[in-house]
Each structure stands twice: as C-alpha cells, then as structure tokens.
Amino acid sequence: MRRAGRDELAEALVETRDSTWRMLDGLEPGRRAVPALATINPPMWELGHVVWFQEYWCLRRPEADGARIAPSSLPHADRWFDSSRVSHGDRPGLELPPLDVLRDWAAGVLDATLARLRGLPERDDVALYRHRLALFHEQFHVEALALARRACDAPCPVPGWRPPAPAVLEPDASLPGGSLLLGSVPDDGFVFDNEKWAHPVRVEPFEISLQPVTNAEFLQFVADGGYRRESLWSVEGRARRAADGREAPDGWRRHGARWQLRWFGDWIPLEPYAPAMHVDAHEAEAYCAWAGRRLPTEAEWEYAAATRDDFEWGDVVWEWTASTFEPYPGFSPDPYRDYSLPWFGTHRVVRGGSFATPRGLIDPKLRNFMRSDRGDGFVGFRTCALR
C-alpha cells in the first residue's frame, strides 16, 4: 500500500472505514463501559479522531505552508478530536456529538476525500502522500479499536480471529551479519518520518529464532517461578510487577490444570504453540534472562526479515526489540509533527505486525513504538542467542 495508486488507495480507504465500523459494533454509547486505561481511548473518540484526521489532512490543510487552514465541516471538531490539543486523560469526559451526527460527518468526509482523490494523478507519491497518511493512520486505529473491544469484553469482531500457531517450530537461524541499510529510501513510496533515512549500520553475526516465543515456552518460565525471581527483572520491571502484582501475562489465568486466555469476553484454552501475547517488554526481558537469551535489536530484526525467507513475521504478533525508539541520523519531522517526535526516548521499538494489523500497514521497515510497560497489545517477542 505504500506504493498504492489512486484507484487502489480509494478502495483501501473504503475498506478500512468498513473495518472501523466493524470494530465499533456494540461499543456505541451506553451499550458497553470501556475501562479507564492509559492505553485505551473511548471508542466514539477514536471514531471522531480518525474522521477528523482524514478531513484535516485530505481536505482542510492547504498545500502552501502558512496558508489558512479551512474549518471542519463539524463545528468544534478541533476542540474534541485533535489529539495534539486534547490530552488522553480529558477524552473520556468530553461531551461528544450523538452517534448519528458522527456517522453523517464520517460519511460526508469520506465521500469528499474520495472525490478529492479522483482529481489527483494515478501514481504520484507527492500528490498521494496525504491520502496514504490518512489511510495508514486509520489502519493503526482499527487495531487500537480491537484492543478497546478486548478491554471491555466485547465479542470478537471476526469469527475465529486469533493468532495462528506455526506449522513447524524451527531451530535458530545463524546469520552472518554485515552491512545493513537501516531505514527507508525515497523510492519506497510512502515513508513514515521515523524511517528517514536509510543509513548503513554494521550487524555482527548472530543467531535468532525464526518464530516468536510460544505460549508453551513462556509457561515454562512462569512455572519455574520466573515472576518471583527478582534477579531476572530490571529495576523498571520490578517496579511494574510490584505495582500490578501479576504472575502471568495480561489476560492469562490458570483454570484447574490448564491455562486460559481472556479473548474478547470469553476464556479460551491457551494454545501451546501459538505465540505468547499480551507480554510487556519487561516480561520479555525477564524471560530472556531466565532462558539465557536476549531480545534482538531493531537492526538485527530488520536484517533477518530482509535476508531470511523463513523468518516468520507480520501475521502473528508485534515483536519487542531491545532498541529504544530514537530518531535516525538527520531526522526531521514531517508535517504531521506529532507522529514520532513526542515519543523519542520514552518508547521501545516494536517491529513486524499482528494478526489484527490491517495488511496495508505490514512492511519490514515499519517502526512501531510502545511504552515498555504496555502489556495489553497483540505483542510478543522472539529471542537471540547471547553473543
């Protein structure tokens, strides 16, 4: 989708909006309470925000810097839905318009966005940049809404939706290392600002698992008292563990002799060979310390994804890396300045993609980022041998 032409992009915008509505089904005001979590937005705010973002970038914002930005077609939309103005803590208390007003606004903005798109060249990375930005932004929020559904025990939005288990568990791969151009190049089509620009890095020889750590493997760590062994945890990890008292990942529980996973309102058996999920970075690092392993750096992860056809990624879980989210050399923010800039130094790089990630987002260069203590996401990890 980073190179999608006008017609393909129009189709993706419509399909993604359909996915947004699918994730919102049953989360209408008054039907289901959403817990007040630092990682979850109110669902109607999520809807308003993606519509606001699409309208702002595709319809309201002029091409010329410094020119006047047109007003929203929904009065007061900036006051409600601009994430740069409205803090996370203030969003649950906003008095938002009724759902039918938001629905009409969303339909009108999408129609106008598609009409504007029809007037653009079929294939022009500069001309199509804003529509691609709006598409990818909404696709990120589709997965965020899936997490909101999980947090409030809403039914699973897609029957049978869950991360697949690998057909075969492969041994480690030994990679020779070498020079890697880390990041994206202008010819890649759409590029997020934190991927700019590709620069050479040296990757030393290393061994990496070809698939993420499984539930069965992580349960060995749990059974061996891994959550109670202080020496396995970082200072930050011990503080997080002391604060929430967990002795297993978020949404895992022992039920008799078996383990279960809380899955969109239901308890389901924990599939032994599916990737461990809802693991924060501290839990991943504690497991690594217990197993005598380590997390890959983001350069190692990208090198493996680029050089190994049997490196499984992108359709199971997002993957923690050992790398702090920092700018690449020569970074400068794109016009959407708040995409990366506020989060450097405080978040961890997450690579790959999950079964719940819209396919248009999946790319080996994509640098997702999360706080190390976030354990509610569709996130797991793979390990490397110690050097």
Side-chain angles (χ1 to χ4, degrees):
M1 291 307 301
R2 293 185 176 217
R3 296 180 180 274
R6 181 189 61 212
D7 296 341
E8 186 181 5
L9 186 54
E11 182 178 354
L13 285 164
V14 172
E15 290 177 351
T16 299
R17 182 56 52 81
D18 289 344
S19 295
T20 295
W21 286 116
R22 185 184 310 117
M23 293 301 161
L24 286 167
D25 183 36
L27 301 185
E28 296 88 347
R31 289 191 61 183
R32 193 173 294 270
V34 178
L37 300 173
T39 55
I40 300 296
N41 285 311
M44 292 304 110
W45 186 91
E46 289 269 12
L47 169 63
H49 174 64
V50 298
V51 176
W52 176 89
F53 190 95
Q54 185 177 90
E55 183 185 47
Y56 181 85
W57 287 101
C58 298
L59 302 174
R60 297 174 55 195
R61 190 179 170 96
E63 295 292 337
D65 290 338
R68 180 176 176 272
I69 295 174
S72 172
S73 58
L74 178 68
H76 311 300
D78 293 343
R79 177 166 59 86
W80 289 318
F81 301 122
D82 183 350
S83 59
S84 297
R85 298 187 188 185
V86 184
S87 70
H88 179 86
D90 290 338
R91 294 168 193 172
L94 294 172
E95 293 188 12
L96 302 180
L99 178 58
D100 59 344
V101 173
L102 293 178
R103 190 182 294 275
D104 289 345
W105 178 49
V109 167
L110 180 58
D111 287 346
T113 296
L114 296 173
R116 177 71 60 86
L117 181 58
R118 286 192 290 270
L120 298 177
E122 166 59 21
R123 294 196 176 275
D124 184 319
D125 288 343
V126 174
L128 298 177
Y129 172 82
R130 296 185 183 197
H131 285 74
R132 290 173 179 168
L133 175 65
L135 170 68
F136 295 138
H137 174 266
E138 185 162 355
Q139 289 183 336
F140 271 120
H141 281 272
V142 166
E143 187 163 358
L145 281 167
L147 293 175
R149 293 187 70 86
R150 175 181 176 269
C152 63
D153 282 343
C156 184
V158 180
W161 206 33
R162 62 188 63 182
V168 178
L169 295 181
E170 301 286 352
D172 279 5
S174 295
L175 279 71
S179 181
L180 168 70
L181 275 178
L182 181 64
S184 295
V185 299
D187 287 344
D188 285 338
F190 180 92
V191 175
F192 289 101
D193 61 5
N194 62 52
E195 301 167 11
K196 300 177 181 178
W197 286 110
H199 55 287
V201 297
R202 175 71 186 173
V203 178
E204 298 300 324
F206 66 106
E207 295 182 6
I208 189 169
S209 55
L210 290 174
Q211 58 273 314
V213 168
T214 66
N215 289 325
E217 290 171 320
F218 199 88
L219 280 177
Q220 293 177 32
F221 163 72
V222 174
D224 197 38
Y227 276 77
R228 298 185 296 275
R229 293 166 59 176
E230 297 285 316
S231 61
L232 300 176
W233 295 78
S234 66
V235 173
E236 295 84 1
R238 287 196 293 271
R240 198 278 296 151
R241 193 164 46 84
D244 62 27
R246 283 212 312 261
E247 294 197 356
D250 181 60
W252 292 29
R253 77 172 185 184
R254 186 191 293 276
H255 184 67
R258 300 181 181 275
W259 281 83
Q260 295 180 325
L261 174 68
R262 189 64 174 172
W263 191 247
F264 294 99
D266 295 315
W267 286 104
I268 64 173
L270 195 66
E271 165 60 48
Y273 297 110
M277 186 170 57
H278 305 315
V279 176
D280 70 22
H282 304 306
E283 290 168 307
E285 288 176 329
Y287 173 92
C288 287
W290 171 81
R293 307 277 290 181
R294 63 179 178 85
L295 293 177
T297 66
E298 68 168 320
E300 289 172 331
W301 191 98
E302 190 167 313
Y303 179 91
T307 58
R308 295 285 303 215
D309 292 337
D310 53 355
F311 185 78
E312 298 181 17
W313 66 277
D315 62 355
V316 281
V317 289
W318 290 98
E319 301 176 33
W320 291 109
T321 73
S323 300
T324 301
F325 182 54
E326 297 286 5
Y328 285 164
F331 169 85
S332 61
D334 278 350
Y336 177 29
R337 296 180 60 87
D338 284 353
Y339 177 67
S340 303
L341 195 60
W343 319 116
F344 288 136
T346 60
H347 286 54
R348 183 81 65 99
V349 174
V350 180
R351 288 300 196 109
S354 83
F355 68 98
T357 308
R359 297 299 90 185
L361 274 174
I362 301 298
D363 191 279
K365 306 289 187 180
L366 178 64
R367 304 176 77 203
N368 199 359
F369 47 94
M370 298 181 185
R371 289 181 56 95
S372 294
D373 59 359
R374 181 167 188 181
D376 68 315
F378 302 124
V379 186
F381 65 103
R382 74 179 70 225
T383 66
C384 290
L386 296 177
R387 294 191 179 92

